[in-house]
Amino acid sequence: QVQLMESGGGLVQPGGSLRLSCRVSENIFNFNSVGWYRRAPGEERGLVASINVGGNRRFADSVKDRFTISRDNAKNTVYLQMNSLKPEDTAVYYCYSYLLSRYTWGQGTQVTVPS
């Protein structure tokens, strides 16, 4: 069973930056894609950013000019660089891996941007 471990969340002022990390227990090229979802209070979990085995990236419209996703293949780690953070980015951020119609999730990390 693959395991994913997020780190890097916290409290940041509006306009600030954070980098989330997700360490995957297997080679990230074993998966069709890896990336990040988030769940804000009272909302459904939604895609933030993903990167597939070919290196193609997808972003939610609300973050695509502010967030970037990258991977370190040697460390089996996926990063989410978040810049120009806004209060509406406050959420629990979940790392995921996807293979053959199956998602595996990390435990989540809280990001809080006060208004």
Side-chain angles (χ1 to χ4, degrees):
Q1 175 76 13
V2 62
Q3 295 182 333
L4 300 95
M5 181 66 68
E6 302 103 333
S7 61
L11 174 69
V12 61
Q13 294 301 311
S17 298
L18 279 176
R19 188 177 80 159
L20 304 183
S21 300
C22 174
R23 180 71 183 268
V24 184
S25 63
E26 297 180 15
N27 188 327
I28 56 178
F29 285 100
N30 290 346
F31 305 99
N32 298 120
S33 70
V34 292
W36 299 87
Y37 275 64
R38 70 186 180 187
R39 177 182 286 152
E43 297 184 9
E44 297 289 323
R45 185 159 50 184
L47 177 71
V48 178
S50 67
I51 182 168
N52 70 11
V53 65
N56 297 308
R57 293 164 168 84
R58 291 178 59 198
F59 295 92
D61 287 343
S62 60
V63 309
K64 63 182 177 181
D65 294 327
R66 301 182 293 122
F67 292 9
T68 59
I69 187 169
S70 61
R71 62 190 178 195
D72 185 327
N73 304 333
K75 297 181 179 178
N76 291 329
T77 300
V78 182
Y79 301 100
L80 183 69
Q81 178 66 43
M82 306 185 293
N83 299 325
S84 302
L85 282 160
K86 304 175 181 180
E88 51 263 44
D89 294 317
T90 295
V92 178
Y93 285 69
Y94 298 90
C95 180
Y96 80 91
S97 63
Y98 178 76
L99 177 66
L100 300 177
S101 301
R102 178 177 179 177
Y103 284 87
T104 302
W105 301 94
Q107 82 286 355
T109 186
Q110 176 72 44
V111 172
T112 302
V113 188
S115 56

